[in-house]
Amino acid sequence: MTVRFGNYRLAFYVIVFLLSGTVLGLTAHFASIFLPKLHHDFIIFSLVVSSLTIFVHLLSIQWAQPRTEAVQLFILGTLWLAMGAWATDIIGHVQCDGLGGQRIPTKDGNASYRDYCYEMTVIEAFSWMNFALFVIAFAILLSLITQAQRFGRYLIWREPIRELPWFGEVPGYYNTHTGVPAQYPGGYMPYGYPATGGQMVQPVTQVPVTTV
C-alpha cells in the first residue's frame, strides 16, 4: 500500500480502538452494578458491539482484502448506528448537571443518577462518532477500489488490502521512505500511466514527424 494510505488506515484503526475501548470500559462498569436484572439488554449489546469491533480490527489490521474490509466496515457501522440510536433513546435530551442528588437503582442498592447520565452521554457520543468514522471509511474504500479498477486491477476486491493506493497514486507496493513505487507484483504496470514518485503522470502523445 502507499505510505499515506497505510498511515491513514492505521490512524482510523487507532481512533476506533480508543472510542470502542472507552465504551467497553463504561459498559463493563454498568454491568458490574446493574447486571443481571437491570438494563441487561442494552448492556449486553454494548459489550458485544465494542468487544467485536476491537477483536475484528485486531485481526484485520495486518491482513485483509478490500472485500473483507468493506463487509467489516458495513456491519460494524450498522451496529454502531444501532448503539447510538439506542443510547439516544435511553438518555434522550436529559441535562445531566441538573440531576444532582437523584439516585438510580442498582443490583446492590442505588447510585448517582447524574454519574450514570454522564457515562451514558459519553457512550452515546462515542457510538455516533464511531458510526460516522465507519461511514467515511466505507466511502473512501469504495472510491479507492474504483480508482484501482480504472488502472486495470479488476480483481482488486480479492487482492491484499496493501495493494490499494491513495488518491492520485497507482496500485502496488511502495517504498516506505520515499514513496517511490517498487516493482509491481505480477509484472503489473498501469495501462498508459507511467509512475513517478508514486503519482499518476498523464502520458504525453508524440506527434510523428514526416520527413520530406
Side-chain angles (χ1 to χ4, degrees):
M1 68 178 74
T2 62
V3 174
R4 283 186 292 177
F5 176 57
N7 291 340
Y8 294 153
R9 183 170 180 262
L10 179 60
F12 164 72
Y13 271 51
V14 169
I15 294 173
V16 170
F17 281 150
L18 294 176
L19 295 176
S20 302
T22 303
V23 172
L24 179 61
L26 293 175
T27 308
H29 171 65
F30 286 162
S32 67
I33 63 175
F34 291 126
L35 291 184
K37 295 182 179 180
L38 301 173
H39 312 289
H40 48 84
D41 292 340
F42 176 77
I43 292 175
I44 293 175
F45 183 75
S46 301
L47 289 172
V48 171
V49 172
S50 53
S51 301
L52 180 65
T53 300
I54 295 174
F55 176 71
V56 170
H57 276 204
L58 285 175
L59 290 180
S60 62
I61 192 170
Q62 292 294 335
W63 179 91
Q65 295 175 335
R67 60 181 177 179
T68 62
E69 188 97 344
V71 172
Q72 166 189 323
L73 294 176
F74 180 81
I75 294 177
L76 292 179
T78 303
L79 292 175
W80 282 106
L81 170 62
M83 269 276 292
W86 198 344
T88 301
D89 181 63
I90 291 175
I91 199 64
H93 302 286
V94 177
Q95 292 290 338
C96 299
D97 54 358
L99 299 176
Q102 299 188 37
R103 313 294 292 179
I104 185 172
T106 66
K107 66 178 182 179
D108 296 323
N110 56 69
S112 170
Y113 191 30
R114 181 167 60 182
D115 292 343
Y116 167 78
C117 179
Y118 282 136
E119 293 177 8
M120 276 298 303
T121 302
V122 172
I123 292 177
E124 175 191 6
F126 282 15
S127 298
W128 286 117
M129 288 174 65
N130 264 343
F131 167 67
L133 288 173
F134 278 111
V135 170
I136 295 172
F138 185 75
I140 291 176
L141 178 67
L142 294 184
S143 299
L144 295 180
I145 291 172
T146 302
Q147 174 182 263
Q149 289 178 328
R150 287 200 300 266
F151 278 94
R153 299 296 286 268
Y154 304 115
L155 301 179
I156 191 64
W157 283 97
R158 287 185 258 169
E159 297 183 19
I161 193 73
R162 61 179 178 269
E163 289 290 318
L164 280 179
W166 190 246
F167 295 104
E169 297 175 333
V170 294
Y173 295 95
Y174 280 73
N175 183 282
T176 304
H177 301 289
T178 63
V180 178
Q183 182 179 0
Y184 292 96
Y188 165 77
M189 178 61 71
Y191 297 119
Y193 288 86
T196 302
Q199 302 295 327
M200 293 187 297
V201 180
Q202 192 77 13
V204 178
T205 304
Q206 296 183 353
V207 180
V209 178
T210 304
T211 58
V212 180

